Amino acid sequence: QIFPNVSVTIYPHSVYTLLMFPSEVPGKTRERLSLLMAPGAKKEADAGEQYREKCQKLMDFVVNINDEDVVAIENLQVGLRNARAHDLHGEFLPKYDWPVHRFQNMVLSGLNGNLVNEGIMPQLSDDFALSL
């Protein structure tokens, strides 16, 4: 992720970008999803219509994954709103909330005319991958 509202995902055959914008409705976000195919992604044996169908299936897959993420994020927002309504405050943990922590530090560094201090990034563990 570049900023919390810009996501770029790179596959061997394609790149997709997801831009998120605030909407007029509180708690809702507008999105713009673009799929860019690599020039070599089309096989010589694929007819034009067959290639377009493959591209559409890939886009459908990406949209489905994104829609699942939206449901999770919207549920998180409901929980945060309910916690605030009951005057409950959670602890901010950069170890787990590092994308937000990093973005906040990018903004602060930029406002102060400094480069981002990469030392504030958490040291992520590869314990899970090693256990497989």
Side-chain angles (χ1 to χ4, degrees):
Q1 249 183 327
I2 300 170
F3 283 98
N5 71 320
V6 178
S7 177
V8 177
T9 302
I10 301 172
Y11 295 114
H13 47 70
S14 59
V15 172
Y16 79 86
T17 61
L18 178 62
L19 305 175
M20 293 152 282
F21 306 96
S23 73
E24 300 295 323
V25 179
K28 294 293 180 184
T29 303
R30 291 182 304 112
E31 295 181 333
R32 180 180 176 101
L33 182 65
S34 300
L35 178 65
L36 309 167
M37 298 299 293
K42 181 181 181 295
K43 296 180 181 176
E44 288 184 28
D46 288 347
E49 185 58 34
Q50 184 180 19
Y51 178 68
R52 282 187 288 282
E53 184 178 322
K54 287 181 178 181
C55 291
Q56 186 58 53
K57 285 183 179 180
L58 177 60
M59 185 63 157
D60 292 345
F61 170 77
V62 169
V63 167
N64 183 54
I65 296 299
N66 183 64
D67 289 349
E68 291 174 359
D69 291 346
V70 167
V71 169
I73 292 166
E74 286 177 347
N75 286 331
L76 172 67
Q77 293 300 318
V78 168
L80 290 171
R81 192 172 21 244
N82 288 337
R84 186 173 49 232
H86 292 90
D87 202 30
L88 298 172
H89 304 281
E91 184 177 344
F92 180 75
L93 300 171
K95 177 179 177 183
Y96 299 106
D97 300 317
W98 65 267
V100 174
H101 186 250
R102 183 173 192 277
F103 176 72
Q104 289 174 343
N105 280 283
M106 288 170 67
V107 170
L108 291 173
S109 295
L111 289 172
N112 291 320
N114 300 321
L115 296 175
V116 175
N117 177 357
E118 293 297 329
I120 63 170
M121 292 297 292
Q123 298 301 314
L124 302 178
S125 168
D126 60 355
D127 292 343
F128 177 75
L130 294 174
S131 70
L132 298 176

